[in-house]
């Protein structure tokens, strides 16, 4: 099974990340895909680009896992309680990325 973790750390990278994740799921439906946001990219979870909301929800329903770095959330003053339900906070984005790679996930940072 294909396992991929996307690392998005800038708000303006979301369109590319979501599109790439969509293509992976289309070509490899049984793949495990995680999108982990840190840095300014966590702002997307509370202020999404309207053109990407529908795609984000479709990908979430398709089994793509969305994660957010707690350190970045704290740095941007974002309370976990206001995150969409499909977003899972992780203690540290960089530590989580390293763990995923150790677990055999391919790392992609568009």
């Amino acid at each position: 099974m294909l396992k991929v973790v996307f690392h998005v750390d800038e708000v303006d990278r979301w369109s590319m990340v979501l599109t790439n994740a969509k293509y992976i799921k289309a070509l490899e439906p049984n793949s495990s895909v995680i999108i982990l946001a840190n840095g300014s990219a966590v702002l997307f979870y509370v202020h999404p680009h309207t053109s990407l909301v529908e795609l984000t929800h479709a990908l979430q329903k398709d089994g793509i896992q969305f994660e957010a770095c707690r350190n970045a959330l704290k740095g941007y003053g974002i309370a976990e309680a206001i995150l969409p339900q499909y977003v899972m906070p992780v203690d540290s984005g960089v530590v989580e990325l390293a763990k995923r790679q150790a677990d055999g996930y391919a790392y992609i940072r568009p």
Side-chain angles (χ1 to χ4, degrees), residues 52-65:
L52 300 176
V53 171
E54 188 175 315
L55 177 56
T56 302
H57 290 297
L59 294 175
Q60 180 266 323
K61 288 178 183 175
D62 205 20
I64 291 179
Q65 185 174 327

Side-chain angles (χ1 to χ4, degrees), residues 5-74:
V5 60
F6 285 95
H7 176 202
V8 57
D9 62 353
E10 298 174 32
V11 173
D12 63 349
R13 300 280 183 171
W14 271 103
S15 179
M16 184 182 304
V17 168
L18 295 173
T19 301
N20 286 332
K22 173 183 155 185
Y23 291 138
I24 286 177
K25 275 307 234 185
L27 295 172
E28 297 286 336
N30 295 323
S31 61
S32 174
V33 179
I34 298 167
I35 299 175
L36 190 148
N38 71 344
S40 67
V42 298
L43 294 169
F44 175 80
Y45 289 136
V46 293
H47 303 293
H49 301 168
T50 54
S51 63
L52 300 176
V53 171
E54 188 175 315
L55 177 56
T56 302
H57 290 297
L59 294 175
Q60 180 266 323
K61 288 178 183 175
D62 205 20
I64 291 179
Q65 185 174 327
F66 290 83
E67 298 179 344
C69 172
R70 280 192 172 107
N71 293 329
L73 294 171
K74 183 185 272 186

